[in-house]
Amino acid sequence: MASTTLQEPSTEVKAFLNSDLKLLINGQRVSSANGETFEVLDPSNNLVLTRVPKGEAEDIDRAVKSARKAFETGPWRKLTVSERGKLIWKLADLIERDQEIFAQLESLDNGKPLAIARAADVPLTIDHFRYYAGLATKIHGETLDISVPYAPGAEFFDFTLREPVGVVGQIIPWNFPLLMATWKLGVALSAGNCVVLKPAEQTPLSALKLADLFVEAGFPDGVVNIVSGFGDAGAALAEHDDVDKVAFTGSTEVGHKIVQASAGNLKRVSLELGGKSPSIVFPDADLEIAAQGVANAIFFNHGQCCAAGSRLLVHNKVFEELVERVADTAKNIRLGPGMASDTDMGPLVSREQQERVLGYINSGLASGAQALAGGGKPEGLDAGCYISPTVFGKVKPEMKIIQEEIFGPVLVASPFDDLDEVIAKGNATEFGLASSVWTKDINKAHKVAKGLKAGTVWVNCHNIFDANAPFGGYKKSGYGREMGLHALEMYTQVKNVIIQIH
Ligand code: NAP
Ligand code: MG
């Protein structure tokens, strides 16, 4: 089902792609130290969109030094919190001005439909920066009453200061390139930190465009540094002795490496890793809404969501009916380039991901799982990294496809009979990122919400995100929470001050 009405990138986007793209280090646009660049591909046809600098350890080191200088002696910490908030708000205004450029870059680079980038990625980004712009003036310590038994009669005044952590390294993936950068940058800057950000090698474009806007908004030199590069640049950031904290979103495998690399200087770490999140449907749910909802839970962003509802657990009474509806939805999804107006689902981000997901589909088929929809690559779209939306029915617990994160448009379905059983099944993976429950029974909703070991439980919805709502994992899905007030915990440290009043 190839789409036909392909939108040309705008003049501004073409100009951006044709420009000499640079790193942002110490407020300057610079080439990588070795002068090397690498190709950025359009996953709908694997043609080269542009080239970007290949930052390596030396560039990371330059960026960390500039962030350190900005943090210790630059104007950043001398700004009032109101001035800091105003700068972040200004950045949000500039993103809003350039929203169409960001939406097109995101679609071209990642493969997602332009309509989705316009409706979700970019508006969420703008909202998110505004939330943290507002929060800059609301971060505060507390006063405490203390009783000191070994100092009878003494009077004390105890207060806390909530201070920034310092220089923060941030490493992000390719599934929501702009939004992942935003989730990391917004809170870090609001709390007064200086940052070195490394975008994913597959999708560096929106981060480099964002770099333009940090300069235009007037952020002091060195407060935000952006270094495109490969995993070795990420590793250099995670290891760097002068980085106080590293924040990572990506695979559990690299998450382990980040923790090991952090040991050198015992830097703080926060991790947002993979998931194998269950969507749980009870027979009393509105089945039409539930079918649409659980299909969206897995197929949104082509299943390339850490919170994707990739395991469908359906009560036996309605299993056949619901799974059939989801399979029908999957069959009707129109595949095509993100820039085509009639595309529902674009290509995966890269050939590597396409091969990886195909490997899982083949392993499912080989182990006897039945594909009720999809089950491979679509016909006639070989130039791009496409995978047909796939639904596997009655999957066995020992199969790889029900245990491991596939990170593609592949749903595995299995039935259940009662509440305790479905909570146990919901928890039966090493992950614990998200989940959804579909029921009209408030009691069941509460019981499942309490029983699941997951950082987010959605009831009668899935993939609902807001800057005010904390997000993060249980178990091997990571630690620390992004967004909301909770994210401040990861980007501030508490100093206690005790004054004796004589
Ligand atoms: P990944 O390797 O974990 O990449 C995430 C980020 O970490 C990228 O910026 C990557 O740089 C960087 N990186 C790679 N090796 C590193 C190292 N040793 N030290 C520090 N940073 C390093 O993920 P991927 O290879 O792109 O995708 C593989 C699988 O990870 C996916 O199929 C999916 O299962 C999972 N994943 C999960 C999420 C999520 O949101 N939870 C997001 C993406 C992927 P490069 O891009 O240059 O390698
Ligand atoms: Mg990797």
Side-chain angles (χ1 to χ4, degrees):
M1 276 177 285
S3 299
T4 43
T5 50
L6 206 55
Q7 177 171 333
E8 275 281 294
S10 67
T11 317
E12 291 88 350
V13 168
K14 282 186 190 155
F16 178 83
L17 295 175
N18 290 329
S19 67
D20 191 7
L21 296 172
K22 302 277 195 194
L23 309 174
L24 174 63
I25 297 179
N26 201 28
Q28 308 300 311
R29 306 314 298 270
V30 294
S31 304
S32 59
N34 60 19
E36 287 181 28
T37 58
F38 64 96
E39 289 176 343
V40 181
L41 303 181
D42 175 344
S44 72
N45 53 24
N46 284 297
L47 299 177
V48 178
L49 285 166
T50 185
R51 300 185 71 90
V52 300
K54 184 165 171 281
E56 292 184 344
E58 192 178 339
D59 304 290
I60 291 291
D61 187 54
R62 283 195 290 164
V64 170
K65 285 197 171 96
S66 96
R68 174 59 63 194
K69 187 161 146 252
F71 185 74
E72 302 298 344
T73 57
W76 186 233
R77 305 247 346 249
K78 298 185 190 105
L79 294 185
T80 65
V81 286
S82 163
E83 287 166 335
R84 209 156 77 202
K86 257 195 215 160
L87 271 177
I88 301 171
W89 194 280
K90 176 135 187 236
L91 179 81
D93 285 346
L94 296 176
I95 299 169
E96 193 166 48
R97 181 196 68 191
D98 291 349
Q99 56 184 291
E100 180 60 19
I101 300 176
F102 277 106
Q104 292 191 17
L105 284 177
E106 211 66 342
S107 174
L108 288 165
D109 202 4
N110 165 276
K112 65 181 70 200
L114 179 58
I116 300 286
R118 281 177 181 154
D121 300 66
V122 181
L124 277 170
T125 292
I126 297 164
D127 263 16
H128 190 96
F129 276 120
R130 290 197 174 130
Y131 177 91
Y132 283 105
L135 197 60
T137 50
K138 288 145 203 95
I139 299 168
H140 57 77
E142 62 213 324
T143 60
L144 303 165
D145 288 329
I146 57 169
S147 355
V148 185
Y150 53 84
E155 197 182 336
F156 296 97
F157 182 66
D158 187 331
F159 68 96
T160 62
L161 295 171
R162 193 167 273 276
E163 298 183 329
V165 169
V167 173
V168 176
Q170 305 186 317
I171 302 166
I172 55 169
W174 40 259
N175 50 348
F176 295 89
L178 176 63
L179 201 54
M180 290 302 102
T182 303
W183 285 14
K184 297 267 181 284
L185 288 163
V187 58
L189 296 171
S190 181
N193 299 282
C194 293
V195 177
V196 178
L197 176 87
K198 192 207 87 69
E201 71 195 46
Q202 297 86 348
T203 56
L205 297 182
S206 50
L208 294 180
K209 170 70 190 159
L210 205 54
D212 290 345
L213 301 192
F214 275 110
V215 174
E216 186 180 344
F219 278 76
D221 293 350
V223 172
V224 176
N225 303 273
I226 298 183
V227 179
S228 47
F230 289 85
D232 61 324
L237 193 52
E239 274 163 21
H240 203 292
D241 273 345
D242 205 26
V243 170
D244 298 304
K245 176 209 157 64
V246 65
F248 171 77
T249 298
S251 61
T252 299
E253 182 194 344
V254 175
H256 277 115
K257 291 186 186 166
I258 301 279
V259 172
Q260 283 157 8
S262 72
N265 70 338
L266 295 176
K267 61 174 68 65
R268 287 159 179 71
V269 179
S270 54
L271 301 171
E272 205 265 86
L273 307 176
K276 191 74 179 175
S277 300
S279 300
I280 297 172
V281 182
F282 285 95
D284 60 67
D286 180 320
L287 290 192
E288 201 176 319
I289 292 177
Q292 201 51 52
V294 300
N296 261 327
I298 179 64
F299 297 131
F300 177 64
N301 214 45
H302 326 165
Q304 302 168 128
C305 293
C306 42
S310 50
R311 283 187 300 141
L312 178 59
L313 301 170
V314 188
H315 194 279
N316 250 321
K317 263 193 208 159
V318 292
F319 183 85
E320 301 293 338
E321 181 187 348
L322 189 102
V323 173
E324 197 180 304
R325 283 182 195 237
V326 177
D328 283 345
T329 303
K331 287 176 199 158
N332 286 314
I333 290 173
R334 294 166 303 177
L335 292 170
M339 293 292 278
S341 58
D342 46 1
T343 289
D344 300 320
M345 185 188 281
L348 299 195
V349 74
S350 64
R351 275 276 185 246
E352 190 187 351
Q353 279 304 116
Q354 184 193 30
E355 290 305 321
R356 212 172 160 270
V357 173
L358 207 55
Y360 276 110
I361 291 176
N362 289 336
S363 116
L365 293 170
S367 57
Q370 187 196 358
L372 304 171
K377 291 194 269 190
E379 306 255 312
L381 286 170
D382 290 341
C385 310
Y386 296 93
I387 289 287
S388 298
T390 297
V391 177
F392 280 117
K394 296 221 169 152
V395 173
K396 302 218 170 63
E398 62 277 9
M399 290 180 182
K400 215 163 96 164
I401 52 172
I402 202 171
Q403 288 296 337
E404 296 182 17
E405 180 176 50
I406 299 176
F407 225 64
V410 181
L411 182 65
V412 296
S414 34
F416 70 89
D417 286 305
D418 69 53
L419 193 117
D420 289 341
E421 178 197 351
V422 78
I423 291 174
K425 281 188 166 163
N427 287 332
T429 74
E430 61 183 6
F431 299 110
L433 192 58
S435 56
S436 62
V437 188
W438 302 79
T439 178
K440 285 186 193 146
D441 180 343
I442 190 86
N443 299 306
K444 280 194 198 114
H446 275 289
K447 283 186 178 162
V448 176
K450 270 199 163 178
L452 288 176
K453 292 180 179 143
T456 296
V457 182
W458 285 294
V459 179
N460 294 324
C461 59
H462 199 112
N463 280 333
I464 298 298
F465 294 96
D466 184 85
N468 200 22
F471 181 74
Y474 278 38
K475 302 197 284 184
K476 282 199 188 167
S477 290
Y479 41 76
R481 291 292 174 270
E482 301 199 278
M483 300 200 281
L485 300 179
H486 290 269
L488 284 179
E489 297 295 332
M490 311 195 298
Y491 286 93
T492 56
Q493 48 195 346
V494 173
K495 180 181 282 170
N496 190 40
V497 183
I498 302 179
I499 299 173
Q500 184 162 6
I501 301 169
H502 292 281

Short mmCIF file of all heavy atoms in Angstrom, two decimals, residues 171-175 180 198-202 229-238 248-255 257-258 261 272-275 304-307 352-353 356-357 405-407 433, ligand 1:
data_model
loop_
_atom_site.label_atom_id
_atom_site.label_comp_id
_atom_site.label_asym_id
_atom_site.label_seq_id
_atom_site.Cartn_x
_atom_site.Cartn_y
_atom_site.Cartn_z
N ILE A 171 22.19 11.30 27.07
CA ILE A 171 22.32 10.43 25.89
C ILE A 171 20.93 9.94 25.51
O ILE A 171 20.22 9.37 26.35
CB ILE A 171 23.24 9.23 26.21
CG1 ILE A 171 24.61 9.74 26.68
CG2 ILE A 171 23.38 8.32 24.99
CD1 ILE A 171 25.47 8.68 27.34
N ILE A 172 20.54 10.19 24.27
CA ILE A 172 19.13 9.92 23.92
C ILE A 172 19.02 9.02 22.68
O ILE A 172 19.95 8.92 21.88
CB ILE A 172 18.36 11.25 23.68
CG1 ILE A 172 19.06 12.11 22.62
CG2 ILE A 172 18.20 12.00 24.99
CD1 ILE A 172 18.23 13.28 22.15
N PRO A 173 17.86 8.38 22.53
CA PRO A 173 17.63 7.47 21.41
C PRO A 173 16.95 8.16 20.22
O PRO A 173 16.74 9.37 20.24
CB PRO A 173 16.70 6.43 22.03
CG PRO A 173 15.85 7.22 22.96
CD PRO A 173 16.72 8.35 23.48
N TRP A 174 16.54 7.35 19.26
CA TRP A 174 16.07 7.87 17.97
C TRP A 174 14.56 7.80 17.80
O TRP A 174 14.05 8.20 16.75
CB TRP A 174 16.73 7.06 16.84
CG TRP A 174 16.82 5.59 17.15
CD1 TRP A 174 17.94 4.91 17.58
CD2 TRP A 174 15.76 4.60 17.12
NE1 TRP A 174 17.63 3.58 17.81
CE2 TRP A 174 16.31 3.36 17.53
CE3 TRP A 174 14.41 4.65 16.78
CZ2 TRP A 174 15.56 2.19 17.62
CZ3 TRP A 174 13.65 3.50 16.86
CH2 TRP A 174 14.24 2.28 17.28
N ASN A 175 13.84 7.28 18.79
CA ASN A 175 12.39 7.07 18.54
C ASN A 175 11.57 8.36 18.57
O ASN A 175 10.63 8.52 17.81
CB ASN A 175 11.81 6.00 19.46
CG ASN A 175 12.14 6.23 20.92
OD1 ASN A 175 12.99 7.05 21.25
ND2 ASN A 175 11.48 5.51 21.79
N MET A 180 12.72 13.48 23.18
CA MET A 180 13.67 12.92 24.15
C MET A 180 14.71 13.96 24.55
O MET A 180 15.11 14.05 25.71
CB MET A 180 14.36 11.68 23.59
CG MET A 180 13.46 10.47 23.43
SD MET A 180 12.67 9.94 24.98
CE MET A 180 11.04 10.59 24.79
N LYS A 198 24.06 14.18 23.72
CA LYS A 198 24.42 13.42 22.52
C LYS A 198 23.18 12.74 21.94
O LYS A 198 22.63 11.82 22.52
CB LYS A 198 25.47 12.34 22.82
CG LYS A 198 26.03 11.79 21.50
CD LYS A 198 26.55 10.38 21.56
CE LYS A 198 25.55 9.30 21.34
NZ LYS A 198 24.99 9.15 19.99
N PRO A 199 22.74 13.22 20.77
CA PRO A 199 21.60 12.56 20.13
C PRO A 199 22.01 11.22 19.51
O PRO A 199 23.20 10.92 19.39
CB PRO A 199 21.20 13.55 19.03
CG PRO A 199 22.39 14.41 18.79
CD PRO A 199 23.24 14.37 20.03
N ALA A 200 21.01 10.42 19.11
CA ALA A 200 21.29 9.12 18.49
C ALA A 200 21.88 9.33 17.08
O ALA A 200 21.51 10.28 16.39
CB ALA A 200 20.01 8.30 18.40
N GLU A 201 22.73 8.42 16.69
CA GLU A 201 23.40 8.56 15.37
C GLU A 201 22.38 8.55 14.22
O GLU A 201 22.60 9.17 13.19
CB GLU A 201 24.42 7.43 15.18
CG GLU A 201 23.78 6.07 14.96
CD GLU A 201 24.73 4.90 15.13
OE1 GLU A 201 25.49 4.88 16.11
OE2 GLU A 201 24.71 4.01 14.26
N GLN A 202 21.26 7.83 14.42
CA GLN A 202 20.27 7.73 13.34
C GLN A 202 19.49 9.03 13.16
O GLN A 202 18.98 9.28 12.07
CB GLN A 202 19.26 6.60 13.63
CG GLN A 202 19.85 5.21 13.71
CD GLN A 202 20.37 4.89 15.12
OE1 GLN A 202 20.50 5.76 15.96
NE2 GLN A 202 20.70 3.63 15.33
N GLY A 229 27.16 12.13 17.22
CA GLY A 229 28.22 11.13 17.11
C GLY A 229 27.65 9.75 17.34
O GLY A 229 26.43 9.58 17.40
N PHE A 230 28.55 8.77 17.51
CA PHE A 230 28.14 7.38 17.67
C PHE A 230 28.21 6.97 19.15
O PHE A 230 28.45 7.82 20.03
CB PHE A 230 29.04 6.48 16.81
CG PHE A 230 28.77 6.63 15.34
CD1 PHE A 230 29.37 7.64 14.60
CD2 PHE A 230 27.88 5.77 14.69
CE1 PHE A 230 29.11 7.79 13.24
CE2 PHE A 230 27.62 5.91 13.34
CZ PHE A 230 28.23 6.92 12.61
N GLY A 231 28.08 5.67 19.36
CA GLY A 231 28.09 5.16 20.73
C GLY A 231 29.37 5.50 21.49
O GLY A 231 29.34 5.68 22.70
N ASP A 232 30.51 5.61 20.77
CA ASP A 232 31.77 5.92 21.48
C ASP A 232 31.72 7.32 22.09
O ASP A 232 32.29 7.55 23.16
CB ASP A 232 32.98 5.77 20.53
CG ASP A 232 32.89 6.71 19.35
OD1 ASP A 232 31.77 6.95 18.87
OD2 ASP A 232 33.94 7.24 18.92
N ALA A 233 31.01 8.23 21.44
CA ALA A 233 30.85 9.57 22.03
C ALA A 233 29.99 9.48 23.28
O ALA A 233 30.29 10.13 24.30
CB ALA A 233 30.22 10.52 21.00
N GLY A 234 28.94 8.65 23.23
CA GLY A 234 28.10 8.44 24.42
C GLY A 234 28.92 7.83 25.54
O GLY A 234 28.84 8.26 26.70
N ALA A 235 29.76 6.84 25.18
CA ALA A 235 30.58 6.18 26.21
C ALA A 235 31.55 7.18 26.84
O ALA A 235 31.75 7.17 28.06
CB ALA A 235 31.34 5.01 25.58
N ALA A 236 32.13 8.08 26.02
CA ALA A 236 33.07 9.08 26.55
C ALA A 236 32.36 10.00 27.54
O ALA A 236 32.94 10.41 28.56
CB ALA A 236 33.68 9.88 25.39
N LEU A 237 31.11 10.30 27.27
CA LEU A 237 30.33 11.17 28.15
C LEU A 237 30.02 10.44 29.47
O LEU A 237 30.15 11.00 30.56
CB LEU A 237 29.04 11.56 27.42
CG LEU A 237 28.18 12.68 27.98
CD1 LEU A 237 28.98 13.94 28.24
CD2 LEU A 237 27.04 12.99 26.99
N ALA A 238 29.63 9.16 29.34
CA ALA A 238 29.27 8.39 30.55
C ALA A 238 30.49 8.16 31.44
O ALA A 238 30.36 8.07 32.66
CB ALA A 238 28.66 7.05 30.13
N PHE A 248 20.30 8.70 30.73
CA PHE A 248 20.32 7.88 29.52
C PHE A 248 18.93 7.33 29.22
O PHE A 248 18.24 6.86 30.12
CB PHE A 248 21.29 6.71 29.73
CG PHE A 248 21.24 5.67 28.63
CD1 PHE A 248 21.84 5.91 27.40
CD2 PHE A 248 20.57 4.47 28.81
CE1 PHE A 248 21.78 4.96 26.37
CE2 PHE A 248 20.50 3.52 27.80
CZ PHE A 248 21.11 3.77 26.58
N THR A 249 18.54 7.37 27.97
CA THR A 249 17.36 6.64 27.50
C THR A 249 17.80 5.77 26.33
O THR A 249 18.44 6.27 25.40
CB THR A 249 16.24 7.59 27.04
OG1 THR A 249 15.82 8.36 28.16
CG2 THR A 249 15.03 6.81 26.53
N GLY A 250 17.46 4.49 26.39
CA GLY A 250 17.84 3.58 25.31
C GLY A 250 17.71 2.15 25.76
O GLY A 250 16.86 1.83 26.60
N SER A 251 18.57 1.30 25.23
CA SER A 251 18.44 -0.13 25.48
C SER A 251 18.95 -0.51 26.87
O SER A 251 19.83 0.15 27.43
CB SER A 251 19.22 -0.91 24.42
OG SER A 251 20.59 -0.56 24.50
N THR A 252 18.43 -1.59 27.39
CA THR A 252 18.88 -2.10 28.69
C THR A 252 20.35 -2.50 28.61
O THR A 252 21.11 -2.28 29.56
CB THR A 252 17.98 -3.29 29.11
OG1 THR A 252 16.64 -2.80 29.20
CG2 THR A 252 18.38 -3.86 30.46
N GLU A 253 20.75 -3.02 27.47
CA GLU A 253 22.14 -3.44 27.27
C GLU A 253 23.09 -2.25 27.47
O GLU A 253 24.06 -2.32 28.22
CB GLU A 253 22.26 -4.00 25.85
CG GLU A 253 23.60 -4.52 25.48
CD GLU A 253 23.72 -4.72 23.96
OE1 GLU A 253 22.67 -4.73 23.27
OE2 GLU A 253 24.86 -4.84 23.49
N VAL A 254 22.81 -1.15 26.80
CA VAL A 254 23.68 0.03 26.96
C VAL A 254 23.49 0.63 28.36
O VAL A 254 24.44 1.14 28.95
CB VAL A 254 23.44 1.07 25.84
CG1 VAL A 254 24.27 2.33 26.09
CG2 VAL A 254 23.81 0.48 24.48
N GLY A 255 22.28 0.51 28.92
CA GLY A 255 22.05 0.97 30.30
C GLY A 255 23.04 0.35 31.27
O GLY A 255 23.61 1.03 32.13
N LYS A 257 26.01 -0.68 30.54
CA LYS A 257 27.34 -0.09 30.27
C LYS A 257 27.46 1.29 30.91
O LYS A 257 28.51 1.68 31.38
CB LYS A 257 27.58 0.03 28.76
CG LYS A 257 27.73 -1.31 28.08
CD LYS A 257 28.11 -1.10 26.62
CE LYS A 257 28.11 -2.41 25.88
NZ LYS A 257 28.15 -2.24 24.43
N ILE A 258 26.35 2.03 30.90
CA ILE A 258 26.36 3.38 31.48
C ILE A 258 26.66 3.30 32.97
O ILE A 258 27.45 4.07 33.52
CB ILE A 258 24.99 4.08 31.25
CG1 ILE A 258 24.66 4.18 29.77
CG2 ILE A 258 24.91 5.41 31.99
CD1 ILE A 258 25.28 5.29 29.01
N ALA A 261 30.26 2.51 33.46
CA ALA A 261 31.11 3.67 33.12
C ALA A 261 31.02 4.76 34.18
O ALA A 261 31.96 5.53 34.37
CB ALA A 261 30.70 4.23 31.76
N GLU A 272 16.34 5.41 31.62
CA GLU A 272 15.00 5.11 31.12
C GLU A 272 15.21 4.08 30.02
O GLU A 272 15.66 4.43 28.93
CB GLU A 272 14.35 6.40 30.63
CG GLU A 272 12.85 6.32 30.66
CD GLU A 272 12.31 5.91 29.33
OE1 GLU A 272 12.23 4.68 29.08
OE2 GLU A 272 11.97 6.79 28.53
N LEU A 273 14.92 2.82 30.36
CA LEU A 273 15.30 1.72 29.46
C LEU A 273 14.06 1.12 28.78
O LEU A 273 13.03 1.77 28.68
CB LEU A 273 16.09 0.68 30.24
CG LEU A 273 17.29 1.27 31.01
CD1 LEU A 273 17.97 0.22 31.85
CD2 LEU A 273 18.28 1.94 30.08
N GLY A 274 14.22 -0.10 28.36
CA GLY A 274 13.16 -0.68 27.54
C GLY A 274 11.94 -1.12 28.33
O GLY A 274 11.83 -0.92 29.55
N GLY A 275 11.02 -1.74 27.63
CA GLY A 275 9.81 -2.25 28.26
C GLY A 275 9.21 -3.38 27.45
O GLY A 275 9.64 -3.67 26.32
N GLN A 304 7.85 1.76 18.09
CA GLN A 304 9.16 2.21 18.58
C GLN A 304 8.97 3.16 19.77
O GLN A 304 9.42 4.30 19.74
CB GLN A 304 9.94 2.88 17.45
CG GLN A 304 10.15 1.99 16.25
CD GLN A 304 10.66 2.73 15.03
OE1 GLN A 304 11.64 2.34 14.45
NE2 GLN A 304 10.02 3.82 14.65
N CYS A 305 8.23 2.69 20.75
CA CYS A 305 7.98 3.47 21.97
C CYS A 305 8.44 2.59 23.13
O CYS A 305 8.08 1.41 23.18
CB CYS A 305 6.49 3.69 22.20
SG CYS A 305 5.71 4.74 21.02
N CYS A 306 9.18 3.21 24.06
CA CYS A 306 9.58 2.40 25.21
C CYS A 306 8.35 1.91 25.97
O CYS A 306 8.37 0.87 26.59
CB CYS A 306 10.54 3.17 26.10
SG CYS A 306 10.06 4.85 26.34
N ALA A 307 7.26 2.68 25.92
CA ALA A 307 6.05 2.32 26.67
C ALA A 307 5.04 1.55 25.81
O ALA A 307 3.90 1.34 26.24
CB ALA A 307 5.39 3.59 27.21
N GLU A 352 18.93 -1.52 10.15
CA GLU A 352 19.32 -2.34 11.30
C GLU A 352 18.09 -2.70 12.14
O GLU A 352 17.91 -3.85 12.52
CB GLU A 352 20.33 -1.55 12.12
CG GLU A 352 21.01 -2.35 13.20
CD GLU A 352 21.87 -1.46 14.10
OE1 GLU A 352 22.07 -0.27 13.79
OE2 GLU A 352 22.32 -1.99 15.13
N GLN A 353 17.25 -1.71 12.40
CA GLN A 353 16.04 -1.98 13.19
C GLN A 353 15.07 -2.87 12.42
O GLN A 353 14.44 -3.74 12.99
CB GLN A 353 15.36 -0.67 13.59
CG GLN A 353 15.99 0.02 14.78
CD GLN A 353 16.06 -0.87 16.02
OE1 GLN A 353 17.16 -1.20 16.48
NE2 GLN A 353 14.93 -1.27 16.55
N ARG A 356 16.34 -6.30 12.72
CA ARG A 356 16.19 -6.76 14.10
C ARG A 356 14.74 -7.22 14.34
O ARG A 356 14.50 -8.29 14.88
CB ARG A 356 16.52 -5.57 15.02
CG ARG A 356 17.12 -5.94 16.29
CD ARG A 356 17.60 -4.71 17.06
NE ARG A 356 17.73 -5.11 18.44
CZ ARG A 356 16.75 -5.01 19.32
NH1 ARG A 356 15.60 -4.49 18.99
NH2 ARG A 356 16.93 -5.44 20.55
N VAL A 357 13.80 -6.38 13.91
CA VAL A 357 12.38 -6.69 14.13
C VAL A 357 11.98 -7.91 13.31
O VAL A 357 11.27 -8.80 13.78
CB VAL A 357 11.51 -5.45 13.82
CG1 VAL A 357 10.03 -5.80 13.87
CG2 VAL A 357 11.83 -4.32 14.80
N GLU A 405 12.08 -7.19 24.35
CA GLU A 405 11.57 -5.97 23.72
C GLU A 405 11.88 -6.03 22.22
O GLU A 405 13.04 -6.15 21.83
CB GLU A 405 12.25 -4.74 24.33
CG GLU A 405 11.74 -3.45 23.72
CD GLU A 405 12.33 -2.21 24.39
OE1 GLU A 405 13.56 -2.14 24.53
OE2 GLU A 405 11.55 -1.31 24.74
N ILE A 406 10.85 -5.92 21.39
CA ILE A 406 11.05 -6.00 19.93
C ILE A 406 11.26 -4.60 19.35
O ILE A 406 12.03 -4.41 18.44
CB ILE A 406 9.85 -6.72 19.26
CG1 ILE A 406 9.76 -8.16 19.81
CG2 ILE A 406 9.99 -6.72 17.74
CD1 ILE A 406 8.56 -8.96 19.30
N PHE A 407 10.59 -3.63 19.92
CA PHE A 407 10.70 -2.23 19.49
C PHE A 407 10.32 -2.03 18.03
O PHE A 407 10.99 -1.37 17.25
CB PHE A 407 12.12 -1.70 19.75
CG PHE A 407 12.13 -0.33 20.38
CD1 PHE A 407 11.61 -0.13 21.64
CD2 PHE A 407 12.62 0.77 19.69
CE1 PHE A 407 11.60 1.13 22.23
CE2 PHE A 407 12.61 2.04 20.26
CZ PHE A 407 12.11 2.22 21.54
N LEU A 433 7.99 -0.89 32.76
CA LEU A 433 7.89 0.53 32.40
C LEU A 433 6.45 1.04 32.46
O LEU A 433 6.15 2.01 33.14
CB LEU A 433 8.50 0.77 31.02
CG LEU A 433 8.72 2.23 30.66
CD1 LEU A 433 9.61 2.92 31.68
CD2 LEU A 433 9.33 2.37 29.27
P1 NAP B 1 21.08 2.14 22.18
O1 NAP B 1 22.29 1.50 21.62
O2 NAP B 1 20.74 1.91 23.60
O3 NAP B 1 21.22 3.72 21.87
C1 NAP B 1 20.72 4.76 22.67
C2 NAP B 1 21.75 5.88 22.77
O4 NAP B 1 22.92 5.41 23.45
C3 NAP B 1 22.26 6.37 21.42
O5 NAP B 1 22.49 7.76 21.51
C4 NAP B 1 23.54 5.60 21.28
O6 NAP B 1 24.44 6.18 20.37
C5 NAP B 1 24.08 5.64 22.66
N1 NAP B 1 25.09 4.62 22.95
C6 NAP B 1 25.35 3.46 22.29
N2 NAP B 1 26.33 2.78 22.91
C7 NAP B 1 26.71 3.50 23.98
C8 NAP B 1 27.67 3.33 25.03
N3 NAP B 1 28.44 2.25 25.09
N4 NAP B 1 27.78 4.29 25.97
C9 NAP B 1 26.99 5.38 25.94
N5 NAP B 1 26.07 5.60 24.98
C10 NAP B 1 25.92 4.68 24.01
O7 NAP B 1 19.83 1.75 21.31
P2 NAP B 1 19.82 1.31 19.77
O8 NAP B 1 21.02 0.47 19.45
O9 NAP B 1 19.63 2.51 18.98
O10 NAP B 1 18.54 0.41 19.74
C11 NAP B 1 18.63 -0.94 20.15
C12 NAP B 1 17.43 -1.35 20.97
O11 NAP B 1 17.33 -0.56 22.14
C13 NAP B 1 16.08 -1.13 20.31
O12 NAP B 1 15.72 -2.10 19.42
C14 NAP B 1 15.17 -1.08 21.50
O13 NAP B 1 14.86 -2.37 21.93
C15 NAP B 1 16.01 -0.39 22.53
N6 NAP B 1 15.69 1.06 22.61
C16 NAP B 1 14.92 1.47 23.63
C17 NAP B 1 14.59 2.81 23.72
C18 NAP B 1 13.74 3.32 24.82
O14 NAP B 1 13.20 4.42 24.70
N7 NAP B 1 13.63 2.63 25.90
C19 NAP B 1 15.03 3.70 22.76
C20 NAP B 1 15.84 3.25 21.72
C21 NAP B 1 16.15 1.91 21.68
P3 NAP B 1 24.37 5.66 18.83
O15 NAP B 1 23.04 6.07 18.34
O16 NAP B 1 25.44 6.37 18.16
O17 NAP B 1 24.55 4.16 18.90
#
